[in-house]
Amino acid sequence: MKSIYIMLAGLAPLVAAAQTPSQTPSSVQVYGLLDAGVVAEGGCNGPCAHTRLDSGVSAGSRLGVRGREDLGGGTSAVYTLEAGILNDTGASDQNGKLFGRQAYVGLDGPLGAVTLGRQYNLLYETLTDVADPFHGGTAGSAANLVGYTTRRYDNTIKYQSPRSKNGWNGAAIYSVGESPYNSKANRAYGATIGYAGSTVNLRVTHQRKENALDASGAASAVDQSASNTLVAANVDFGRFVGYAAYGHSRGAGSSPWNMSNPYGAVVQSTPSDNSRDVLVGVAVPMGATTFLASYIHKDDRSSANRDANQFAVGVSYALSRRTELYGAFARIQNRNGAGYTVGNATSAGRGDRAINIGLRHAF
């Protein structure tokens, strides 16, 4: 006990120095989420493990640190480092990147926030935050059919406006291609305008991704450029929340991508390069339980006419504010040789139907 007392007494001056008023106020938060579930797949086009344990079924497992330092005048320095985790094996997600989910630094002030680094793109944020009752997770994820390139962009400059008094806000993004071959390959840019009211959320997003780079850094021989526009809304009617979205996607790279290889081949062997996507959905909260359902139609406008429909239902039960049980089922009807698969928040999936049952805990 005496040695412990001496150690604490020695630390006292350091603690006092850290609490002096001359130090600029700052905050640091360590946070995370662990999600694991059983996935049963069917209708696989080729070999697949029909039943498996997956990490990040409803939301990607992660460990992160974020902070804010007050610089005065209403302006703060902000940063986030967030690592993806496959907690079924302990490996890193996002193809082994250390901070593959997010890694950025920036300034947040009265005129908005500007951040630099690896960040979510605007179309994916609109899809998961506004359009999709499943919020991009479980078998019902709208990302199974609704077109976008990859969830995050490297080398990105992002601006987020402050929310106005009447609820309007906007955002813009520019991802530098950094190709040694030309300045156009692999760059991306886009913008969003939105309204967030007490019962209504609305966003319109347009995004352009130029021809992606292959593993050597050269522009792909097959043009995988993408142009995606998404109009999304959700309305809280009291007893339920209704969701709706309409998307227009052009370019071979506008179909869902293999998330473990964001600069490689598309999930589809024969992707649509011109489609219209329509989504309708509903979330019905009943105490700690929430019931979910959605329908998505992909109208392929190419000559192959590879349409697809997804039907999904799900349920979640909140054991506490941080812990949730969930279950979901989805099926995709592929037309004329389309090969879309039922994935989840982390996996692209291998079959045209899947059942998920799992547990999520945030900390």
Side-chain angles (χ1 to χ4, degrees):
M1 290 294 294
K2 183 177 180 181
S3 61
I4 295 175
Y5 175 80
I6 293 173
M7 180 184 70
L8 293 176
L11 289 175
L14 297 178
V15 175
Q19 294 176 336
T20 55
S22 60
Q23 187 179 32
T24 303
S26 62
S27 64
V28 179
Q29 179 187 7
V30 178
Y31 65 95
L33 184 148
L34 292 175
D35 180 302
V38 176
V39 175
E41 290 184 318
C44 296
N45 184 15
C48 68
H50 294 284
T51 302
R52 65 181 189 273
L53 179 68
D54 256 3
S55 169
V57 177
S58 72
S61 296
R62 70 204 69 171
L63 179 63
V65 57
R66 57 188 168 215
R68 173 180 293 268
E69 180 189 19
D70 185 0
L71 302 177
T75 300
S76 297
V78 295
Y79 65 88
T80 293
L81 290 171
E82 191 174 272
I85 301 168
L86 297 173
N87 55 282
D88 56 338
T89 64
S92 294
D93 201 357
Q94 288 78 51
N95 206 29
K97 290 179 180 284
L98 178 58
F99 295 108
R101 289 185 60 87
Q102 297 183 89
Y104 64 80
V105 65
L107 295 175
D108 185 6
L111 299 180
V114 177
T115 48
L116 313 172
R118 178 172 170 85
Q119 302 174 73
Y120 285 101
N121 71 53
L122 299 178
L123 194 104
Y124 182 74
E125 287 181 330
T126 297
L127 179 64
T128 57
D129 294 348
V130 180
D132 186 5
F134 292 87
H135 298 294
T138 71
S141 171
N144 293 334
L145 286 187
V146 179
Y148 67 96
T149 51
T150 185
R151 298 182 179 188
R152 306 165 184 90
Y153 289 152
D154 294 337
N155 314 312
T156 296
I157 304 168
K158 190 174 186 178
Y159 168 74
Q160 178 68 56
S161 75
R163 180 177 170 181
S164 68
K165 292 181 179 180
N166 55 10
W168 291 95
N169 59 82
I173 193 171
Y174 183 81
S175 175
V176 183
E178 297 193 6
S179 168
Y181 301 91
N182 62 73
S183 61
K184 184 177 180 180
N186 208 42
R187 72 180 180 183
Y189 47 89
T192 289
I193 184 169
Y195 170 81
S198 58
T199 60
V200 177
N201 284 288
L202 171 67
R203 284 190 205 171
V204 180
T205 299
H206 177 75
Q207 194 162 273
R208 171 76 181 176
K209 175 78 170 179
E210 303 293 354
N211 193 18
L213 304 182
D214 65 20
S216 69
S220 173
V222 178
D223 190 351
Q224 295 180 351
S225 297
S227 177
N228 301 94
T229 303
L230 185 64
V231 180
N234 63 66
V235 181
D236 187 348
F237 293 97
R239 293 181 179 272
F240 66 94
V241 180
Y243 294 82
Y246 175 81
H248 181 194
S249 301
R250 293 186 66 89
S254 63
S255 293
W257 280 54
N258 182 344
M259 292 172 283
S260 66
N261 186 17
Y263 301 125
V266 201
V267 171
Q268 290 290 300
S269 58
T270 53
S272 169
D273 60 4
N274 184 6
S275 71
R276 309 292 191 273
D277 305 320
V278 177
L279 178 153
V280 290
V282 64
V284 184
M286 300 180 66
T289 304
T290 301
F291 296 95
L292 306 168
S294 69
Y295 166 76
I296 304 171
H297 174 63
K298 175 173 281 294
D299 179 12
D300 180 15
R301 300 296 182 89
S302 70
S303 59
N305 194 29
R306 294 187 174 95
D307 294 349
N309 300 309
Q310 176 174 288
F311 303 88
V313 293
V315 62
S316 65
Y317 180 77
L319 298 171
S320 71
R321 188 170 62 89
R322 295 179 177 271
T323 305
E324 181 179 284
L325 291 168
Y326 59 83
F329 168 77
R331 178 165 187 163
I332 293 177
Q333 297 176 332
N334 288 301
R335 307 290 188 187
N336 300 322
Y340 295 96
T341 55
V342 177
N344 53 57
T346 300
S347 171
R350 292 182 178 273
D352 62 10
R353 58 187 181 272
I355 298 174
N356 307 155
I357 300 174
L359 173 68
R360 180 175 70 189
H361 175 73
F363 60 91

